[in-house]
Structure formats: C-alpha cells, structure tokens
Amino acid sequence: MNEIDFRHDLLPLKNKLFRVALRITLDRPEAEDVVEDVLVKTWEMRHTPELQQVVSLESYCLTMTRNLALDRAKRREAQNVSLDDEAHGHIAEERADTNPLPDQLMERDEQLRWVHELFMQLPEKQRSIMQLRDVEEHSYQEIAEIMQITESDVKVTLFRARQALKLLIQKHPNNGL
C-alpha cells in the first residue's frame, strides 16, 4: 500500500464507518467515538508493516470498526444499559432531508421507524451483513473479509436476514402502513 493521506484516504471513509458503528452500538456518541478511534489508530499505524500489507484500506477500517463497535456494545450490555432506548431517539437524524408534504413526511417517518424497529430485532450478524450489502453496497467478498467469514456464510446469512425481515413485516397487522 502506498503512503496514506489522511484527507484523501481516511477522511472519506468516516461516514461509512459511522453507519456501521451506529448499526452495532445503537448509540450515536459511541459510534462517533468508535470511528474516531479507528481513524486515529489507522493513522498512527500508517508506517507499520502490518498496514503496508493491507490491500484495501476501506475493508481494513470497516473490519476494525465492526470489531471495536462489537466490543463496546458488549461492554455496554455487560453494564446492563438498554441499547433499545438509544436507537429510537436517532431515527429522525437518519432520514433524508427532502420531504414534500407534512402528512407524507409523517407517514414516511412512521414507516421508517417501524422498519427500523423490525430491523433492530435481527441478530447483529444479520444486521451488519444487510447494512454492508444493501446500504453500503459492498461485494460478498468484501463483506466476507470485513466480517471474517466465508462468502457462502455471507450469502446464507443475508438470505436468512432478508427472510426474517420479510416474516416480521408480514406478521404486522397492517404491514407498517
């Protein structure tokens, strides 16, 4: 790998890293801390042989983000802090800024909140893989590297996550509408 430039190589990754960290930690400040730690650690490691051997800086940083976020989420669970309460407070910050009419905005907000609640019922592994594939649009191979699993496991887990989400949606009396 060539010399790493913070502004051109690391800084553009911050939003992707944040979205992954937020999906795992379910806490905006915690996710921000995770991203900051990953960026600082990667920057400090820029001259090490380990980082020089990295093929994809993005995959490397995403893997670090996922692992650190999982560690912090586990630590929070061990402290008996409810992560669910934090997740519901940040849905409004995740939605798009272009909203035509107030009634359409309210309806869309309710649908987003409902889908987010169903999504959060999935196991962490399924949520992470769906996030990386369907939102971040990573390849199966990249996801396998990030998650440190096989490509076939990625495909199976993604299929199961989509099926589980579909079943949760179908169970709801009015399908969230």
Side-chain angles (χ1 to χ4, degrees):
M1 171 169 273
N2 296 333
E3 181 71 22
I4 295 175
D5 180 68
F6 191 84
R7 182 172 288 147
H8 293 34
D9 297 326
L10 288 176
L11 206 52
L13 298 176
K14 72 177 174 50
N15 291 335
K16 282 185 180 184
L17 301 178
F18 175 75
R19 287 189 297 268
V20 169
L22 184 61
R23 289 283 180 230
I24 295 170
T25 63
L26 307 176
D27 180 74
R28 180 171 280 279
E30 189 73 29
E32 290 170 353
D33 288 346
V34 167
V35 172
E36 181 181 335
D37 289 350
V38 168
L39 292 176
V40 168
K41 184 173 182 177
T42 304
W43 179 248
E44 289 173 348
M45 293 175 56
R46 69 187 180 277
H47 298 299
T48 64
E50 177 186 348
L51 201 59
Q52 296 301 317
Q53 296 174 2
V54 169
V55 177
S56 169
L57 183 63
E58 181 177 342
S59 293
Y60 182 81
C61 288
L62 283 166
T63 301
M64 282 180 55
T65 300
R66 180 179 181 274
N67 291 339
L68 185 57
L70 284 171
D71 289 346
R72 291 190 180 194
K74 287 177 187 172
R75 193 175 322 130
R76 281 184 68 126
E77 286 176 18
Q79 295 172 349
N80 295 323
V81 175
S82 173
L83 298 178
D84 293 336
D85 296 337
E86 291 293 322
H88 300 301
H90 301 297
I91 294 171
E93 296 170 10
E94 295 177 23
R95 62 177 181 260
D97 292 330
T98 56
N99 299 309
L101 299 172
D103 61 329
Q104 291 173 331
L105 174 62
M106 188 173 83
E107 184 178 318
R108 194 187 82 214
D109 287 349
E110 289 174 14
Q111 290 173 345
L112 282 173
R113 187 172 295 112
W114 178 73
V115 169
H116 185 265
E117 288 173 9
L118 294 179
F119 180 76
M120 297 315 292
Q121 292 177 25
L122 297 175
E124 182 279 323
K125 183 178 179 182
Q126 291 181 355
R127 286 194 322 261
S128 294
I129 289 176
M130 280 188 76
Q131 171 78 23
L132 290 169
R133 180 66 181 169
D134 296 336
V135 177
E136 305 293 336
E137 299 179 345
H138 285 279
S139 70
Y140 293 117
Q141 181 182 2
E142 291 172 328
I143 297 169
E145 290 173 14
I146 292 166
M147 302 283 293
Q148 299 174 340
I149 57 177
T150 65
E151 279 186 59
S152 58
D153 193 16
V154 169
K155 292 175 184 177
V156 168
T157 304
L158 183 60
F159 174 78
R160 289 179 180 162
R162 289 174 176 162
Q163 290 299 104
L165 195 55
K166 181 179 174 182
L167 285 173
L168 288 170
I169 290 170
Q170 290 173 343
K171 278 184 182 179
H172 197 275
N174 61 3
N175 288 338
L177 304 176

